[in-house]
């Protein structure tokens, strides 16, 4: 097979490049991203989703320690089989709202796994984080992290 190089990297015989694989390779470029390994991104918790107009709780999301292995495995599956990794945003996404009103993208995370963190060794999901260097200042001011997780369809 004759390989050609186009914008996203090696192309197949039909001239198709793979932007997903280029993106995943670019994460390892220290000029673009700062990699921090073993960052706690998710722990057991309870979260309320409120109606933005009334403030009334419309849904409660509960994550237990028993949920963490399944959540980490789902992240590993998506990365391994589809090249889909987690996004780090400046706050939670707002399902149903326009793209322009969504929180800013600060970076990405991959390699989700169970672990512990903090002075009491809290059970959590750890990940390797790739901070967009152009947004490093904002990201460094956000010490808390949480993945987007909805156990059932919204």
């Amino acid at each position: 097979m004759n390989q050609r190089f186009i914008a996203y990297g090696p192309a197949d015989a039909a001239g198709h490049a793979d932007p997903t694989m280029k993106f995943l390779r670019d994460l390892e470029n220290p000029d673009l991203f700062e990699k921090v390994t073993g960052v706690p991104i998710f722990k057991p918790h309870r979260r309320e989703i409120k109606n933005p107009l009334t403030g009334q709780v419309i849904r409660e999301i509960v994550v237990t320690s028993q949920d963490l292995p399944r959540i980490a495995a789902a992240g590993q599956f998506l990365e391994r089989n589809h090249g889909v990794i987690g996004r780090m945003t400046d706050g939670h996404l707002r399902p149903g709202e326009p793209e322009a009103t969504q929180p800013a993208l600060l970076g990405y995370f991959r390699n989700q796994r169970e672990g512990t963190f903090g002075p009491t060794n809290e059970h959590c999901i750890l990940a390797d984080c790739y901070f967009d260097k152009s947004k490093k200042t904002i990201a460094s001011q956000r010490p808390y992290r949480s993945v987007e997780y909805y156990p059932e369809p919204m």
Side-chain angles (χ1 to χ4, degrees), residues 13-28:
H16 300 118
D18 191 336
T20 299
M21 295 310 295
K22 180 192 181 304
F23 164 71
L24 294 173
R25 284 191 305 272
D26 282 350
L27 289 174
E28 301 299 335

Side-chain angles (χ1 to χ4, degrees), residues 100-118:
T101 67
Q102 297 298 332
L105 180 65
L106 302 177
Y108 302 91
F109 62 88
R110 60 191 308 193
N111 191 23
Q112 296 180 52
R113 61 214 180 261
E114 282 186 89
T116 60
F117 81 103

Side-chain angles (χ1 to χ4, degrees):
M1 179 187 283
N2 185 5
Q3 291 288 315
R4 295 176 306 201
F5 185 83
I6 59 177
Y8 293 115
D12 63 18
H16 300 118
D18 191 336
T20 299
M21 295 310 295
K22 180 192 181 304
F23 164 71
L24 294 173
R25 284 191 305 272
D26 282 350
L27 289 174
E28 301 299 335
N29 181 340
D31 294 330
L32 300 175
F33 295 95
E34 179 176 331
K35 180 180 178 180
V36 181
T37 60
V39 177
I41 62 166
F42 199 59
K43 68 178 190 171
H45 68 285
R46 188 177 296 268
R47 178 174 148 217
E48 293 179 341
I49 298 176
K50 297 181 180 182
N51 179 315
L53 300 175
T54 66
Q56 186 176 24
V57 175
I58 56 174
R59 183 165 187 211
E60 183 178 54
I61 295 174
V62 178
V63 178
T64 68
S65 256
Q66 292 74 29
D67 296 320
L68 296 184
R70 180 179 46 78
I71 295 167
Q76 293 166 4
F77 175 85
L78 288 171
E79 180 176 348
R80 182 177 57 250
N81 293 294
H82 303 288
V84 174
I85 61 174
R87 298 172 293 186
M88 289 187 289
T89 58
D90 192 5
H92 278 285
L93 296 178
R94 300 175 196 99
E97 290 192 22
E99 185 73 24
T101 67
Q102 297 298 332
L105 180 65
L106 302 177
Y108 302 91
F109 62 88
R110 60 191 308 193
N111 191 23
Q112 296 180 52
R113 61 214 180 261
E114 282 186 89
T116 60
F117 81 103
T120 61
N121 289 315
E122 283 188 71
H123 192 204
C124 69
I125 295 175
L126 300 172
D128 299 335
C129 293
Y130 296 79
F131 295 96
D132 181 330
K133 283 203 166 179
S134 69
K135 299 177 183 170
K136 183 179 175 183
T137 301
I138 297 168
S140 69
Q141 296 168 354
R142 308 295 188 263
Y144 300 105
R145 294 147 307 275
S146 180
V147 299
E148 295 297 327
Y149 173 72
Y150 302 98
E152 304 113 25
M154 290 291 291

